[in-house]
Structure formats: C-alpha cells, structure tokens
Amino acid sequence: MVSFTVTFNIEGGEVRTVQIPGETSLLEAARKADVALDAPCGGNGTCGKCRVKILSGGVVRDEGPSRHIRAADYAQGFRLACQSRVHSDLEILVPAGALAYQTRIKIADLTVTRDREIFAGLRKSLAEMELGGDLGLSVVSAGLSAPDLGDAEADRERLIRQVAELTGAAEGDITVGLHALRKLPALLRESNFTLDCVIRRRGEKLAILNLYPASHNGSSRAPLSFSDTPPPRLAGLAIDIGTTTVSIMLLDLETGEMAALGSAGNGQIRYGADVINRIIESARPGGLERLRTAVTGECIEPLIRRICERAGISPDRIYRVAVAANTTMTHFFLGVPGEHIRLEPYVPAFFHIDTLSGESLGMGVHPGAEVLIAPGIGSYVGGDITAGVFSSMIFRKAGPSLLIDLGTNGELVFGGSDFLMACACSAGPAFEGGDISCGMRATDGAIEAVTVDPETMIPALSIVGADQGWKALGLCGSGLIDLIGELFRCGIINAKGKFIREDPGPRPRVLHDEYGGGRYIAAFPGESASGAEIALTETDIDNFIRAKGAIFSAIKTMLAVVDYPVDAIEDVYVAGGIGSGINMKNAIRIGMLPNLPLERYHYIGNSSLMGAYAMACSREAARLVNETGRGITYLELSSHPGYMDEFVAACFLPHTDSGLFVLSA
Amino acid sequence: MVSFTVTFNIEGGEVRTVQIPGETSLLEAARKADVALDAPCGGNGTCGKCRVKILSGGVVRDEGPSRHIRAADYAQGFRLACQSRVHSDLEILVPAGALAYQTRIKIADLTVTRDREIFAGLRKSLAEMELGGDLGLSVVSAGLSAPDLGDAEADRERLIRQVAELTGAAEGDITVGLHALRKLPALLRESNFTLDCVIRRRGEKLAILNLYPASHNGSSRAPLSFSDTPPPRLAGLAIDIGTTTVSIMLLDLETGEMAALGSAGNGQIRYGADVINRIIESARPGGLERLRTAVTGECIEPLIRRICERAGISPDRIYRVAVAANTTMTHFFLGVPGEHIRLEPYVPAFFHIDTLSGESLGMGVHPGAEVLIAPGIGSYVGGDITAGVFSSMIFRKAGPSLLIDLGTNGELVFGGSDFLMACACSAGPAFEGGDISCGMRATDGAIEAVTVDPETMIPALSIVGADQGWKALGLCGSGLIDLIGELFRCGIINAKGKFIREDPGPRPRVLHDEYGGGRYIAAFPGESASGAEIALTETDIDNFIRAKGAIFSAIKTMLAVVDYPVDAIEDVYVAGGIGSGINMKNAIRIGMLPNLPLERYHYIGNSSLMGAYAMACSREAARLVNETGRGITYLELSSHPGYMDEFVAACFLPHTDSGLFVLSA
C-alpha cells in the first residue's frame, strides 16, 4: 500500500508528522500524530469542528463545499478532516479552534470558587445528619526502643509491639502494609525510632498503612480556614468523571475541609464528544485500554499530582477516594468493557461494585487507599446521578423534588423520601456548548447572560472573567438560553427557531449564507477574544431546541408516569456544567423548564462531585448513596409509549402548548 | 574524565560494547555491558572466577601474576576482571567458564525427578496430619438467564444472583473481583451465559475471583497420575528462593498433585555469590530495585510462565503462592531494604509478614492470589529453614533430631516437639561448588561420587547424567566430600589438607605449580566435557575444610548449649543443594557430620520447597509453620563464647580430636 507523509502545523507553533497509508482519513492521521482534533460527532461529518486547512503538497479526496465548509473557505483549502482522505504527502494547518477541548489542568482558586456556598451548604447538611468521623483512620505517634544485641527483634515486630501498647490492640491483630514496611528500616533510623503511623481500624483489626517521621512539635494543628488550609495528614479525594470534564477535590479527612480543587478535560474526547462514539471506539482492538488511559494516565493521574503539589502533600497520603461518573465513564475508568450498554437490551457489566484498592487502580494514591465507586442504576443513569441525589438531599425530603443534571447529557430524578424515579434523555451536549458552532463551557470568555434590545437588535453581553479583561469567546449554556429566549421575545426568531425579522442596520445582526441558513451575530470579529465572529446559526438553534425539548418532554413524561401535576414539584435542583449564570426565567420562557415559581429553582453546581465528597468523608454517607441508589426506579424513556409525542411537541419555542409557559412574574 | 571503549567478546559469539571512564574495573565495565561475569567473592580478588583474556588494544592496570593467574597465562593476556582497571580501549575475550551461573530455566521431568520419593513422603505426612482441603477455594458452574428488555439487570448483579442461589450465600456477602469483572461481559455472551466461577469463601463472605467458559462436559475429571496430570483448575505455587537457585513447583490445589517443577539460577548472582555482597549492592543507589528485579522479573516471572505453559494453564489460574527463602532473599524479593541485616545489631526489617496479594507483587499470578511468606527467625535463619522444619517434621517428634540445610550457607536446627533451636554458620558455598576452582552444582556432568585406588591413585568417578553420555564437568558437594575423604584415606593429603604423597606414575595425578601449591587431577583434559583438566587444589581443600569445620563446630556448639550428647540425636535430616549422592560415611570420615549410625541419616532434598508446598496446600500447615517459627530459639553463633575454638579444632581432617570419627562400620 502506498504510504504518505502528513505534517500537521498546529497554530501556535507545534509541528507533528506522521506516515500513513493512502485513503486514511485526515482525522485518523491526526490521531496517529497525536493531534487532538475536535470531533464531537465521532467523525461522521455532522459537527463541522475538525476544520483544517491544506497548506501545500497535494490532494485529498473529499465531498466538496458543504454547510460546514462554505465555497470561499473551500477555495482557500479548508476541509473537514473527517471527510477527507489522504492521496499525497500533505502540509496541514490546524487552527487552534479545531483542537479538542484540551486536557489542560486547571487548579481552582479556593477563595473565589463559585461552588463555595454550595459546598458549605452540603457540609452543613452532613453535620446535621451527624455523618463523618467514622472512617477508622488515625495517626498514632510511636516512640520505639532502639535495638541492640540483647534485643534484636526485627523492625516490623518492634513497631507492632509499640503500636499494640499505644492502642490496646492485640499484636496478632496488627498488620503492616508492604508500602509501609519498605519505608520502615530507613525511617526508623533517620527519625531516631519515633514515627507517625497512619492506622486504619476495622473492628479488632488494625492496619498500619503508612509511616512518616514524627511531627517536629507535639502541638495540635493551627486553626483551619478555607483559603489557607495546612497540608492534610489524612487526605481523601472526590472525583467526578464527566464525559467532557474531570473534576477532583482533595480533602482533609480529619477536618472535612477542601484542600485543593482542580479540573481537566476528559482526554477521551478525541474519540467523540458523547458516550456512544466512545463505546464504539472501545469495542475496537485495544480501544478499551486507549479509553481507560485517556482518562486515567492522561488526565486523572496528572491532575491528582497537581492538586497534591498545590496542597503540599505526597499522593501517598491519600487514603480514601470516591468516584462518581456516568455508567459508561465508570466502566472505562475501571477498564471494564461497556459495549453492551448501547446494544439492546442495554445491559452494563455492573451497577454496583465492591470497594477497590488504590493498588488495583494505580492512580498514585496510597496502595491501601479505599476506592469507592458511586453505583449506577441504568445504562444511562450512573453514579454521578446517585451521588447527585445524595448531595441534593432530595431523598430526605417528604415532598417531591426534581433533580435535573445538565451535563453532556441530561438526567432527571423525581421524588423524595417515599420514592425516587430516574430517567435519561438524549439532550446531547448543547448545555455545555457542544453541537453549537460557537458553544463553549462556562469558563473565561463565555457569554453567560444576554439581553437583546428589541428595537436595535443589539445584544448586551455578560462575559465570564470580564472583570479580568476577558472578551467574548463563545456562548455557554446559560448564555444560549438567554440569547434564544431574547431572540424569541424580540420576534427575531419564530417558534420553530427560524429567523423571521430582517435587520436593516448599518452593521446588520442577522445574516444569511449562500445555503439560506440564517445567523445572529452576538459579537463581530473585532469584539471577540479570538478575532472571529460569534454567531448563533439556525442549525445551532435547532440543536438547542431539540436539547431543551428532550429535557422538558422527559419531565412531563416522568410526571405522567407517577401521576403528579407539574405544580406538585416543591423544589427543582439544577446541576451540571451549564453554569451558575443560568437564568431560570428565560429557561422557562423557551420551554425548557416547567413554569414554577422562581423561588423553587436552585442551582446546585457539580452535584456529582459533591456526592463523591460525601462518600469520601463518611462511610455512612457512602452506605446511604448505595442504599438510595438501590431504591431508585429506572424509567427507560426511549421505549416509553408517549415520550416521542411529548418530545415532538416540545421542539418548539416554547412548546406547541404555549399556555404551559405563561410566566406569572 | 577520559572515557574508553571496552568490547566484550563472549565465547560462543555474542559481542557487547560499553563506554566507561578510565580507572573503572573490568568487572564493573562488564556489569555495565550486561555481561554476567561470575564474581562469587563480590569482586575482591579472592575467588579467581572472573578470568578474562585481553585480546588487543591496550593496557589495564593490575597486580601481576598470582595464584589465580599463573605466569604463563598472564603472559597470554589472562587477567582477573575485578583486579584490572581500564587504561585504554580494549578488546576482551570472556571465556564461557567466566560467566556466572546463568538464570537458565530448567523444567524437571516429573517422571524421573529424584525428589519424587521425598515428595510422596511429605504428602503421606500431610495426609496423616489431616491437613489440606481448608483453602476455601472452589469452582462453581453457573448457568444464568439471558437478559432482555424486561430484565435488564447488569451482568455482575445477574451473576451474583445466580451464585447466591447455587451456594446459599447472601447476595450482599458476594463480591466480584475487578479481574473477573473485566472478563464478565464478553465471557457471558461467548459461553451462552454459562460460566465456571472460581470462588473463595471466608466465613460468610464469598469472593468471585475468576471466570472461565463452562467445561464442555459435566463429568468429573480423569483419574490423576503423577506423570500425566491434567491442567489444574485451581493452581498453587511453592517457591524456594535460594541464594543460588530458585525452584518453583506448580501444584493442583484440588488434588495436591505436582503439576510441574522448574528451576532457574537466581539472577542476583552477578552481584555476588553470597548474601553479604548482595546486601552491600542493595545499599547502593537503585541497588535494592536491581536486586529485586534480578530475582523477580528476570527469574521468577519467566519461570512461572514456563511451568504454566508446561502444565497447560494460564498463570491467572494460580490462586495461592507460598514463598520460602532466607532472610535476605525474602527482603529483596519483597523490595524491602535489608542492609541492617549485616550491621550490628543485625536487625532485619521483619521476621513475619502478613499475607500479600498477587496484585501487590505482580508475578503474573491471579491478582487476588494469596501470597504467603515463610517467617524468618534470625538475620541468617530465614523462612527456608522454618519451612524446612515443617517438611522434615522434626517439630512433631518426641526425641531430638538435627536438620542440616547445606545451601549457599549452612543452617542447623536441633530439637523436637519440646523445643527447637536454630543457628547459622558461615559455611560458604563450598557444598554447592562455590569457592572451589572446579566446583559445580549437582547437575549434569557433576562428579557426584569418587573412589580412589590407594596404590595407583587413579579415581573412579560417578558422573550425573553419565547414562545420557555426560562426561565430567566439575565436582559437586557430594563428589568433593568423597574425593577429599578418599585422598585422606589413601594418605595422599594430610590432616591439614596438604599433599604429602608424591606421585611417580607416567601420568602423575598430583602436581605442584610454580607457587608451590599442589593439586590432584580428577580428570585429565582429554577426559572432561570441557577439555580442561578437573583438579582439586590445596586452596580448594582448604576452603572445603573450613566449610565442613563450620558445620561440625556449629553442631557441637549447639548440642553443648542445650547439654545433649551427640549420640542423643535420633535422626539427622540433610537438606539442600549438595545432592542426593551424598555419602554419609565419607562425610563422617572427613569430620563434617557427627559419628552416628548411618541409618539415622536421611537426605531430604529441598526441604524449603517442600515446606512451601505444604503452606500452599493447606492453611493449617501455613499456620503451623508460623507457629513453629515463633517457637524456635535463635542462637547467634558468631557471638557465642567457645564457638571459635570449636571451629579451629574442626578445621582438620577429620578433627583435632580424631577419636570423634572412628567409624564403627
């Protein structure tokens, strides 16, 4: 087979070269060259994100101009990498915008984190429930007698003798882990035979997990504050593995304080933005291991190292880890095949899983760390939701509440202390900015709120990080809700999301391209951070309407199944990456959320991470998450009669039955 | 610093090149080039094994001719690598004989193994003690209902449901290991939802460790024979890590049968033949990891793979492993620092160690395998001896017995069911052929028995493997005992081991070199397998006399401590690599073993491996090994008053008090 050389010139400077056989797609060539081209659609040509430019050298076979590559751009050499096949040696330019959401690590500034209040609220709830303090972990300071020819007992036996004396445990009930044993001889002699021992007690049994030189002073630790926490002696981790983003919190198991917080893009994104494309990839030879490594070795492990550095501890001080993730992410994290999740009858390998060890997962944490995995309840309702049910506390409330998790997909839980029902809907990634041409997550530069002047059509934008000088980069979920709500309110788009009002101004906001598709310019090239225009197209609006329709129809269907009227919902908890800027009023206006008094709505951020935090802190909380998970009824929407009709009815602004959304306020 | 290129031409064809700074010793250069030169003395010039020849290119700095490099050889370019320092680029010839005992794997032929009778005897003892059958391991065949849309329970929960039904265990008490979970989805669907589950039960708890497609027929297994065992369903390993040789037995945990047996040289030998040189190496930067890898990755792991291949199973069918080794080997196997073993007050990191998992040791066995380590009792009396005490069964006998383990060092245990005392003596490796110019282990080509004609001085040799055409290669321990005994009996050497009778024959057997040292030719160049003469030098005899003196004086000292006469010893069990050919009568004649009726002597082979076998087979046996180990008193000979005098008195043939060895027969 003929082989060609493809050179990728990545905007910003890096160059990567790969040898590949003819007929390989440019997307595949990029993956082989380790160039992380964005391909949320999995490479089937529908998302248009993998736009690259052919600089020189030859020919590719492709399908000509399209809605993603307009004729002018096509003439300049722009192509969709997934739709182009290599037929010669090539020089390719990869614009920064074509790169997948990177696995770049971000460490949160704990003093300004927006989740701080949510976290404080959860800690208050845990304190009220009297959870915590039951981990059985402690640090014991042991001063040993030095050996001599008259007492040549081995180091391990000498340590056990002393720990037995200090703790009252029987010597036969005390074990010393291999990790600790390997440190023991040198540490004993360096520290003059006085050590701090990290001990885990289970009933009568006592395991010495780790050893450190004794603390220099015997005084108790300095008082703690949120922003200036001393390094934890016993650390834990809460890990939320999102389809798009992984978030990890380092916590102090003795105090329950947050010690550090960080996030990174899920490296699996190069295999597709949604779980379906990744499941398909996982079933290819070596695919499961590629997916596991993309999220563990490339993402979770470096992130753990970074947050430990930030907190000033070694990762081997982490003794307890709780992981919450959707069903597919949980499978891939553990290296368990998940291909049957997407094949009828949609059966995962597991819902619950026994506590694992740091050793078996190898994330750099202490090998004896307990690793807990939040249980799933359905193929598409996973541990992120059971963890979220816990942290939202809806399972303890007498009246019914609704939990809506707007992640890369949408999941709903309805109920309270009497019953709980959950379902997933194919909302897609629009609320996180996926499937939207100028979409992005709610990070710096995101337009998170918009109002539009009905006369001039000019928008007023609220931009994340504007106070630090950030200009607009794209639209996040809350910004999309606002903008679409405003365009509809101003009569610029109709109930089907199509542009109906032309714009005669000197710098017109509504434009149409050669294929007839309209777009609204939220920011002109000169106003944006990237220098490119930020616009919302009819395709974007269409994608968004289907996403919001999926959410609303799921809510209606679920309420119908349990025979509750909408008004019976006492509280609605909105969780997920949509951002704290979400304007519930606009979300109601566009027919995404039910028409309830605004005070019943609460944004609760990353409820999955918060649930994992509770599991890491408290054995009783972990038990409750498992018990609650077992009690949740799973509603399979896709096969539910009537859901499809509800969905179709909801794919309008606000709905075919617009009376549902007459706002009282 | 000036750097030179050294090229090693290994006899047989391989060539290795290394760049090293001037003044580096040739031995060090060889190690850097991964040429495993033999250096049992650790490189201090005393053993003479690292003889290489300088072919061309330059100069080394060395100390001229010596007893190891005679003048004629020196003139030809022969040098001791350890005593030569590089001063130019060099071409070196490495004779095959200068290479360390290789880590070559040998798989035993089970039908002819000489240990077969010993093994049968141990199994009989275990049966009498009613040990075995308590491992809690079993194989359960589970037929599951296939999932459909009406029953979309996850695979793991479906499996647990069925296993609970089959075993009567509560679902909440059943766990599925990660290793099994990863196999589960594909296996279920390939095997039509019928699986064989390997289960370990502990009290109420039941762990599913492994899964296989259900056996094709439901019939019970074919009857077993020693030589034609079917592949075990539940396999175990007994591992003896000797300083020189590692032996591993694969066993069938259901039947107790031996399924395969193999051995390999301990790769650590390149860092010295004895434990002291290896401990010194371990304390250098990275040394501990080098030593651990030399015995695990280079030796134990490939050996496990090979014996599993031979038995027709995958190593993940190994669920229980027992390891017996001396204190230093045990430390290095586990990667635990051992340098304090050789520093006053001689304190190891541990004597006992808790059961470990296959996962934490990573030998390719099932990650959930239990790995048991035989406990040590002193710096130089390790788990090989506690395992040997068990397999010799001396701990159950009312009358006192003596266990003598002649490995790379010598260890003794004296006592019975009332008390047990152990000590180690610095016998060195002479009984395994170490420290002897023509010494070797009791393998093919070894002279294992000798008689000498008192008139002609001509020896009659008995050679291992002679029936398969092997000619003499060297002298093993039993051959050395015979030859020295015969030379003494024939008046060829005196009580100090010096040659006293000249040899006027046409092909004289006794020769003297230019330094005055005598030697006895056991085989002329034309008679040996290698074409080199096989001779015993006065230095060899001296080394051997010190070894046998160390053993005998240790026996005498220990008996004196407990105040027992020699004749009180009811049985003597001789274990170790000296070989089954040992002639007890000659061993008594030369003053190595006490003068007891020959029927009290028993050769019991590798008692350490046999003890490990018992631990692998039976939890109760493992408990007894630990309990017995705790009850053994350790006698530190080196600091014991009177031992040195006994040793000096024993360094004659047979002894200064020759009356001790007047043989009755």
Side-chain angles (χ1 to χ4, degrees):
Chain A
M1 186 174 289
V2 190
S3 154
F4 298 110
T5 304
V6 181
T7 305
F8 293 94
N9 300 274
I10 301 166
E11 196 179 38
E14 234 176 313
V15 178
R16 306 242 175 90
T17 296
V18 69
Q19 280 291 116
I20 43 111
E23 283 295 315
T24 308
S25 86
L26 271 179
L27 179 63
E28 215 181 311
R31 282 178 182 164
K32 290 233 166 95
D34 220 15
V35 174
L37 281 184
D38 200 10
C41 70
N44 57 34
T46 57
C47 75
K49 297 261 178 184
C50 64
R51 272 167 62 113
V52 297
K53 187 176 175 181
I54 301 179
L55 291 179
S56 77
V59 288
V60 298
R61 194 164 61 76
D62 65 276
E63 285 157 11
S66 68
R67 69 184 170 97
H68 295 301
I69 310 284
R70 295 172 199 160
D73 290 345
Y74 188 85
Q76 281 186 45
F78 280 99
R79 297 291 185 276
L80 286 190
C82 70
Q83 298 301 304
S84 308
R85 294 182 179 279
V86 176
H87 268 233
S88 76
D89 291 352
L90 289 167
E91 283 276 330
I92 303 290
L93 174 73
V94 179
L99 292 173
Y101 176 64
Q102 291 296 294
T103 57
R104 193 161 64 89
I105 290 173
K106 286 180 202 155
I107 302 297
D109 180 347
L110 293 187
T111 58
V112 299
T113 177
R114 290 176 297 170
D115 288 338
R116 190 174 155 176
E117 256 175 61
I118 296 164
F119 181 62
L122 175 62
R123 292 195 65 193
K124 202 168 144 228
S125 299
L126 293 176
E128 282 164 17
M129 292 166 77
E130 296 182 358
L131 298 179
D134 58 349
L135 297 176
L137 288 165
S138 61
V139 181
V140 170
S141 190
L144 280 61
S145 62
D148 56 39
L149 282 172
D151 170 18
E153 184 60 288
D155 296 342
R156 174 186 171 278
E157 281 73 14
R158 183 176 302 274
L159 176 68
I160 285 179
R161 196 167 67 189
Q162 184 64 12
V163 169
E165 204 165 288
L166 289 167
T167 61
E171 291 189 18
D173 283 334
I174 302 175
T175 58
V176 181
L178 191 54
H179 179 81
L181 186 62
R182 285 172 174 162
K183 289 181 169 184
L184 180 59
L187 213 52
L188 269 183
R189 286 154 185 92
E190 282 160 18
S191 69
N192 205 20
F193 292 86
T194 302
L195 297 177
D196 281 351
C197 311
V198 175
I199 289 176
R200 180 186 285 136
R201 188 188 277 275
R202 285 284 177 272
E204 301 293 299
K205 302 287 181 188
L206 203 147
I208 301 176
L209 299 178
N210 215 343
L211 303 167
Y212 306 102
S215 334
H216 289 299
N217 60 58
S219 73
S220 69
R221 306 164 73 207
L224 303 173
S225 74
F226 187 86
S227 57
D228 183 27
T229 345
R233 302 194 303 175
L234 303 173
L237 288 180
I239 302 182
D240 164 53
I241 307 175
T243 307
T244 310
T245 305
V246 174
S247 302
I248 305 188
M249 186 198 294
L250 183 75
L251 56 120
D252 186 323
L253 294 175
E254 288 181 286
T255 63
E257 292 287 345
M258 195 191 301
L261 181 65
S263 65
N266 184 333
Q268 294 174 347
I269 207 149
R270 78 176 76 111
Y271 304 109
D274 60 31
V275 298
I276 297 299
N277 280 303
R278 297 191 203 171
I279 294 174
I280 292 168
E281 174 69 18
S282 78
R284 296 188 177 124
L288 179 59
E289 186 53 25
R290 281 195 295 280
L291 283 157
R292 197 185 69 78
T293 307
V295 73
T296 54
E298 289 179 29
C299 170
I300 293 175
E301 286 163 28
L303 184 51
I304 291 174
R305 282 196 297 273
R306 281 287 300 283
I307 62 173
C308 284
E309 260 171 50
R310 173 66 165 255
I313 65 162
S314 147
D316 86 341
R317 291 219 179 199
I318 295 169
Y319 302 104
R320 198 171 153 95
V321 179
V323 179
N326 68 51
T327 305
T328 304
M329 291 301 105
T330 307
H331 278 61
F332 294 165
F333 168 67
L334 297 176
V336 176
E339 57 250 47
H340 299 284
I341 292 173
R342 63 175 271 274
L343 303 172
E344 205 184 291
Y346 315 112
V347 175
F350 64 95
F351 287 134
H352 287 255
I353 190 159
D354 314 293
T355 300
L356 298 163
S357 68
E359 183 156 63
S360 58
L361 295 174
M363 299 182 289
V365 304
H366 191 281
E370 292 179 307
V371 182
L372 292 85
I373 311 285
I377 53 177
S379 298
Y380 296 107
V381 176
D384 49 350
I385 302 306
T386 51
V389 166
F390 183 87
S391 65
S392 69
M393 297 285 160
I394 63 170
F395 73 107
R396 297 177 67 217
K397 296 200 174 125
S401 303
L402 180 65
L403 170 66
I404 308 179
D405 193 345
L406 298 172
T408 305
N409 219 341
E411 292 102 7
L412 308 174
V413 185
F414 178 70
S417 56
D418 285 349
F419 75 94
L420 286 163
M421 174 174 277
C423 69
C425 56
S426 307
F431 302 117
E432 290 182 321
D435 276 0
I436 305 292
S437 56
C438 289
M440 68 178 289
R441 294 174 55 81
T443 54
D444 287 334
I447 299 169
E448 63 169 349
V450 188
T451 54
V452 174
D453 184 308
E455 297 306 315
T456 63
M457 292 194 185
I458 294 172
L461 308 177
S462 169
I463 294 160
V464 177
D467 51 346
Q468 288 152 58
W470 276 92
K471 295 210 280 181
L473 253 179
L475 282 152
C476 71
S478 59
L480 281 164
I481 291 171
D482 278 8
L483 181 54
I484 292 172
E486 287 289 281
L487 294 179
F488 183 58
R489 183 179 66 89
C490 298
I492 299 169
I493 55 173
N494 65 13
K496 290 182 175 173
K498 303 298 173 200
F499 286 95
I500 49 173
R501 219 177 109 190
E502 289 308 317
D503 178 8
R507 289 177 86 198
R509 289 277 163 179
V510 176
L511 298 173
H512 287 83
D513 63 21
E514 60 258 56
Y515 303 97
R519 67 187 192 277
Y520 173 86
I521 317 279
F524 289 105
E527 297 165 350
S528 77
S530 66
E533 73 172 28
I534 299 172
L536 191 69
T537 68
E538 283 180 348
T539 307
D540 295 337
I541 297 171
D542 200 46
N543 286 341
F544 190 85
I545 287 178
R546 277 189 285 110
K548 75 95 193 167
I551 297 288
F552 185 76
S553 52
I555 297 171
K556 268 203 88 188
T557 305
M558 195 153 65
L559 288 175
V561 168
V562 289
D563 199 18
Y564 271 75
V566 167
D567 196 55
I569 306 173
E570 294 188 359
D571 287 286
V572 181
Y573 298 92
V574 178
I578 192 166
S580 60
I582 182 171
N583 182 326
M584 301 297 178
K585 202 165 150 181
N586 279 342
I588 296 169
R589 177 176 285 134
I590 61 166
M592 171 177 165
L593 296 180
N595 189 5
L596 292 168
L598 292 180
E599 63 273 17
R600 296 196 196 173
Y601 280 97
H602 317 278
Y603 176 68
I604 57 166
N606 190 339
S607 61
S608 167
L609 183 67
M610 291 296 127
Y613 164 83
M615 292 175 75
C617 274
S618 157
R619 294 170 75 191
E620 179 58 14
R623 198 191 61 73
L624 280 171
V625 171
N626 276 285
E627 186 186 281
T628 308
R630 284 202 173 83
I632 301 176
T633 307
Y634 179 57
L635 175 65
E636 178 59 58
L637 270 192
S638 63
S639 60
H640 190 79
Y643 172 69
M644 216 48 214
D645 294 340
E646 283 289 355
F647 174 65
V648 171
C651 282
F652 287 88
L653 292 176
H655 194 272
T656 45
D657 178 4
S658 61
L660 287 170
F661 299 94
V662 176
L663 284 168
S664 45
Chain B
M1 185 175 290
V2 191
S3 155
F4 298 110
T5 303
V6 182
T7 305
F8 292 94
N9 301 274
I10 300 167
E11 195 178 39
E14 234 175 314
V15 177
R16 305 242 176 91
T17 296
V18 68
Q19 280 291 116
I20 44 113
E23 284 294 317
T24 307
S25 86
L26 270 179
L27 179 62
E28 216 180 309
R31 282 179 182 164
K32 289 229 165 97
D34 221 16
V35 174
L37 281 183
D38 199 10
C41 70
N44 57 34
T46 58
C47 75
K49 297 261 178 183
C50 64
R51 273 167 62 114
V52 297
K53 186 176 178 182
I54 300 179
L55 291 179
S56 77
V59 289
V60 299
R61 193 164 62 77
D62 66 276
E63 285 157 10
S66 68
R67 67 184 172 99
H68 295 300
I69 310 285
R70 295 171 200 163
D73 291 345
Y74 188 87
Q76 281 186 42
F78 281 99
R79 298 291 185 275
L80 287 189
C82 70
Q83 299 301 303
S84 307
R85 294 182 178 277
V86 175
H87 268 234
S88 74
D89 291 352
L90 290 168
E91 283 276 332
I92 303 289
L93 174 74
V94 180
L99 292 172
Y101 176 63
Q102 292 296 294
T103 57
R104 193 161 63 89
I105 290 173
K106 286 181 200 152
I107 303 297
D109 180 347
L110 293 186
T111 57
V112 299
T113 177
R114 290 176 298 169
D115 288 339
R116 191 174 153 176
E117 255 175 60
I118 295 163
F119 180 62
L122 174 62
R123 292 194 66 192
K124 201 169 145 227
S125 299
L126 293 176
E128 280 165 16
M129 292 166 77
E130 296 182 359
L131 298 180
D134 58 349
L135 296 176
L137 288 166
S138 61
V139 181
V140 171
S141 190
L144 279 61
S145 62
D148 55 41
L149 282 173
D151 171 18
E153 184 60 288
D155 297 340
R156 173 185 172 278
E157 281 74 14
R158 182 176 303 274
L159 176 68
I160 286 179
R161 196 167 65 189
Q162 185 63 13
V163 169
E165 204 165 287
L166 289 166
T167 60
E171 290 189 20
D173 284 334
I174 302 176
T175 58
V176 181
L178 191 54
H179 179 80
L181 186 62
R182 286 173 173 159
K183 289 181 171 185
L184 180 59
L187 213 51
L188 269 184
R189 286 156 185 90
E190 282 161 17
S191 69
N192 205 20
F193 291 85
T194 302
L195 297 178
D196 281 351
C197 311
V198 175
I199 289 176
R200 180 186 285 135
R201 189 187 275 276
R202 285 284 177 272
E204 301 293 299
K205 302 286 182 189
L206 202 146
I208 301 175
L209 299 179
N210 215 343
L211 302 168
Y212 307 102
S215 334
H216 288 298
N217 60 58
S219 72
S220 68
R221 306 165 72 208
L224 302 174
S225 74
F226 187 85
S227 56
D228 183 26
T229 344
R233 302 193 304 173
L234 303 172
L237 287 180
I239 303 182
D240 163 53
I241 308 175
T243 308
T244 309
T245 306
V246 174
S247 302
I248 304 188
M249 186 200 293
L250 183 75
L251 57 120
D252 186 322
L253 294 175
E254 289 181 285
T255 62
E257 291 287 346
M258 195 191 301
L261 182 64
S263 65
N266 184 333
Q268 293 174 348
I269 208 150
R270 78 176 76 110
Y271 303 108
D274 61 31
V275 298
I276 296 299
N277 281 303
R278 297 190 203 172
I279 294 174
I280 293 169
E281 174 69 18
S282 78
R284 296 187 177 125
L288 179 58
E289 187 53 25
R290 281 195 296 279
L291 283 157
R292 198 185 68 78
T293 307
V295 73
T296 54
E298 289 179 29
C299 169
I300 293 175
E301 286 164 29
L303 184 50
I304 291 174
R305 282 196 298 274
R306 279 287 301 281
I307 61 174
C308 283
E309 262 171 48
R310 173 66 166 254
I313 65 163
S314 147
D316 85 342
R317 292 220 180 198
I318 296 168
Y319 301 103
R320 200 172 153 94
V321 179
V323 179
N326 68 50
T327 304
T328 305
M329 291 302 105
T330 306
H331 277 61
F332 294 165
F333 169 66
L334 297 175
V336 175
E339 58 250 46
H340 299 285
I341 292 172
R342 64 174 271 275
L343 302 172
E344 207 185 288
Y346 315 112
V347 175
F350 64 95
F351 287 134
H352 288 254
I353 191 160
D354 314 292
T355 300
L356 298 163
S357 68
E359 183 156 62
S360 58
L361 295 174
M363 297 183 290
V365 303
H366 190 281
E370 292 179 308
V371 183
L372 292 85
I373 312 285
I377 54 177
S379 298
Y380 297 107
V381 177
D384 49 350
I385 301 306
T386 51
V389 166
F390 182 88
S391 64
S392 69
M393 297 284 160
I394 64 170
F395 74 105
R396 297 177 67 216
K397 297 201 172 126
S401 303
L402 181 63
L403 169 66
I404 307 179
D405 192 344
L406 299 172
T408 306
N409 219 341
E411 291 102 6
L412 308 174
V413 185
F414 178 70
S417 56
D418 284 350
F419 75 94
L420 287 162
M421 175 174 277
C423 69
C425 57
S426 306
F431 302 117
E432 291 182 321
D435 276 3
I436 304 294
S437 57
C438 288
M440 67 179 288
R441 294 174 56 80
T443 54
D444 287 334
I447 300 169
E448 63 169 350
V450 188
T451 52
V452 174
D453 184 309
E455 296 306 316
T456 63
M457 292 193 186
I458 293 172
L461 308 178
S462 169
I463 294 160
V464 178
D467 51 347
Q468 288 152 58
W470 275 93
K471 294 209 282 181
L473 252 179
L475 283 152
C476 71
S478 59
L480 281 164
I481 291 172
D482 278 8
L483 182 54
I484 293 171
E486 287 290 281
L487 295 178
F488 184 58
R489 182 180 67 87
C490 299
I492 300 169
I493 55 173
N494 66 14
K496 290 181 177 175
K498 302 298 172 200
F499 286 94
I500 48 172
R501 218 178 110 190
E502 289 308 316
D503 178 5
R507 289 176 86 197
R509 290 275 164 182
V510 176
L511 298 172
H512 286 83
D513 65 21
E514 60 260 55
Y515 302 98
R519 67 186 192 278
Y520 173 87
I521 317 279
F524 288 106
E527 296 164 352
S528 78
S530 67
E533 74 172 28
I534 299 172
L536 191 69
T537 68
E538 283 181 349
T539 307
D540 295 335
I541 297 171
D542 200 45
N543 286 341
F544 190 85
I545 287 178
R546 277 189 284 112
K548 75 96 192 166
I551 296 289
F552 186 76
S553 53
I555 297 170
K556 268 204 88 188
T557 305
M558 196 154 64
L559 288 175
V561 167
V562 289
D563 199 17
Y564 272 74
V566 167
D567 196 55
I569 306 173
E570 294 189 358
D571 287 287
V572 181
Y573 298 92
V574 178
I578 192 165
S580 59
I582 182 171
N583 182 326
M584 302 295 179
K585 199 165 154 182
N586 278 342
I588 296 169
R589 178 178 283 134
I590 62 166
M592 171 179 165
L593 297 180
N595 189 5
L596 292 167
L598 293 181
E599 64 272 18
R600 296 196 196 174
Y601 280 96
H602 317 277
Y603 176 68
I604 57 167
N606 190 340
S607 61
S608 167
L609 183 68
M610 292 296 128
Y613 164 83
M615 292 175 74
C617 275
S618 156
R619 295 170 74 192
E620 179 60 13
R623 197 191 63 72
L624 280 171
V625 171
N626 275 284
E627 185 186 282
T628 308
R630 284 202 173 83
I632 301 176
T633 307
Y634 179 57
L635 175 65
E636 178 57 58
L637 269 192
S638 64
S639 60
H640 190 79
Y643 172 69
M644 216 48 216
D645 294 341
E646 283 289 356
F647 174 65
V648 171
C651 283
F652 286 87
L653 290 175
H655 194 273
T656 46
D657 178 3
S658 62
L660 287 171
F661 300 94
V662 176
L663 285 170
S664 45

